[in-house]
């Protein structure tokens, strides 16, 4: 059985003061023991969060990392090796905001994914279609291409130590959520694409759904057979709401 995971992507939100408040809220949560829980603060606050959550079983990850694994001459970037040094265990790769606003392409993301794994970080590969692509009936083609890029470059074995987050772009931060069946259909296609290469890896990899997940819709989404938890944006900035979502993923 796959162990569910709920991850909070704080995006570019927070100040030292608001992060301290959020840490305090998280520390007081009753969390399920059968769910892996992680938060992804802005890099500046990673140390503060790791210190603040000491003793609480919440992993900490980064929202982005460099294309090179090790520290070196690469102005403005943060190496996966530095994230490991700070105490991170995970990193997001290819969030749609980075694909769309920063212009990160599959080639760059393949390098980031590989560099992260080379240091022992677990990459959380984010994939998803835009509204235009969905309306044109291209959802599975787009998601398949984003996933296929990593499989072609690094081999399906890369997903033995990775997580995938399906996040339809039209559902991110919009309050529109994919219906549980819409999300399940894409998750099943993602798992089938992996299974065509290696069924054991396909059965073991965790597929998270992201896009306006709240406590109110989490139970239904997480109840679908191929949805193994969620990547939570806005709702993860509220500790109580995040805690309720984490509990929805438990049994
Ligand atoms: P949202 O964001 O929950 O605010 O829609 C999800 C994400 O971008 O990871």
């Amino acid at each position: 059985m796959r162990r569910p995971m709920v991850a909070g992507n704080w995006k570019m939100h927070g100040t030292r003061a608001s992060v301290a408040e959020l840490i305090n809220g998280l520390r007081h949560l009753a969390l399920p023991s059968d769910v892996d829980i992680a938060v992804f603060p802005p890099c500046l606050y990673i140390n503060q969060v790791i210190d603040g959550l000491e003793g609480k079983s919440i992993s900490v990850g980064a929202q982005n990392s460099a294309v090179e694994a090790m520290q070196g001459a690469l102005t403005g970037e943060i190496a996966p090796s530095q994230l490991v040094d700070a105490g991170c265990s995970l990193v997001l790769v290819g969030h749609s905001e980075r694909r769309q606003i920063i212009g990160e392409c599959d080639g760059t993301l393949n390098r980031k994914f590989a560099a992260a794994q080379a240091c022992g970080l677990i990459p959380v590969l984010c994939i998803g279609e835009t509204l235009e692509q969905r309306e044109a009936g291209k959802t599975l083609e787009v998601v398949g291409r984003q996933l296929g890029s990593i499989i072609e470059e690094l081999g399906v074995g890369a997903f033995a130590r990775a997580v995938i987050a399906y996040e339809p772009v039209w559902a991110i931060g919009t309050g529109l959520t994919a219906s549980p069946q819409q999300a399940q259909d894409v998750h099943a296609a993602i798992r089938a694409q992996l299974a065509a290469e290696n069924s054991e890896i396909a059965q073991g990899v965790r597929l998270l759904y992201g896009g306006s997940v709240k406590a109110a819709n989490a139970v239904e989404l997480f109840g679908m057979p191929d949805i193994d938890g969620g990547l939570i944006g806005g709702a993860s900035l509220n500790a109580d709401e995040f805690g309720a979502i984490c509990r929805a993923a438990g049994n």
Side-chain angles (χ1 to χ4, degrees):
M1 257 321 272
R2 296 179 293 269
R3 193 174 151 84
M5 175 183 254
V6 174
N9 172 13
W10 296 0
K11 310 197 180 188
M12 198 172 64
H13 293 289
T15 59
R16 284 185 63 80
S18 73
V19 167
E21 216 173 292
L22 188 46
I23 290 169
N24 190 43
L26 293 171
R27 286 198 66 84
H28 287 91
L29 290 177
L31 293 173
S33 59
D34 56 350
V35 178
D36 284 342
I37 298 167
V39 292
F40 295 77
C43 255
L44 266 180
Y45 305 118
I46 282 175
N47 285 331
Q48 186 184 351
V49 173
I50 287 178
D51 290 348
L53 291 179
E54 208 190 321
K56 191 88 187 166
S57 46
I58 300 179
S59 303
V60 179
Q63 298 168 17
N64 178 40
S65 59
V67 293
E68 298 289 345
M70 307 308 287
Q71 60 170 304
L74 192 42
T75 304
E77 291 295 288
I78 295 174
S81 65
Q82 294 173 310
L83 294 173
V84 171
D85 182 47
C88 289
S89 50
L90 302 135
V91 64
L92 301 183
V93 176
H95 189 279
S96 65
E97 285 149 16
R98 297 199 61 85
R99 291 181 192 261
Q100 294 200 312
I101 302 171
I102 314 285
E104 287 186 341
C105 61
D106 286 336
T108 300
L109 298 173
N110 292 344
R111 292 179 67 193
K112 290 190 174 196
F113 189 107
Q117 279 192 333
C119 292
L121 287 176
I122 302 285
V124 180
L125 178 71
C126 304
I127 56 181
E129 82 289 359
T130 62
L131 184 58
E132 198 181 12
Q133 290 164 334
R134 174 162 283 265
E135 285 174 347
K138 295 195 165 142
T139 299
L140 298 184
E141 179 188 326
V142 170
V143 168
R145 194 170 61 229
Q146 291 168 336
L147 176 63
S149 170
I150 301 276
I151 298 176
E152 273 165 41
E153 191 69 22
L154 306 173
V156 72
F159 289 97
R161 291 176 296 118
V163 174
I164 297 171
Y166 167 59
E167 299 201 301
V169 177
W170 49 271
I172 295 179
T174 57
L176 296 172
T177 317
S179 69
Q181 192 57 52
Q182 277 176 322
Q184 165 60 26
D185 289 348
V186 180
H187 282 229
I190 292 170
R191 211 178 292 285
Q193 186 176 353
L194 293 165
E197 307 277 335
N198 183 317
S199 61
E200 201 179 318
I201 285 177
Q203 283 314 309
V205 70
R206 288 177 293 184
L207 308 182
L208 312 184
Y209 168 78
S212 299
V213 177
K214 308 182 262 306
N217 57 26
V219 173
E220 249 196 307
L221 284 161
F222 299 166
M224 301 310 280
D226 286 297
I227 302 183
D228 307 310
L231 180 56
I232 322 301
S236 72
L237 297 170
N238 177 313
D240 290 334
E241 181 81 7
F242 185 64
I245 296 169
C246 292
R247 288 189 293 276
N251 283 313

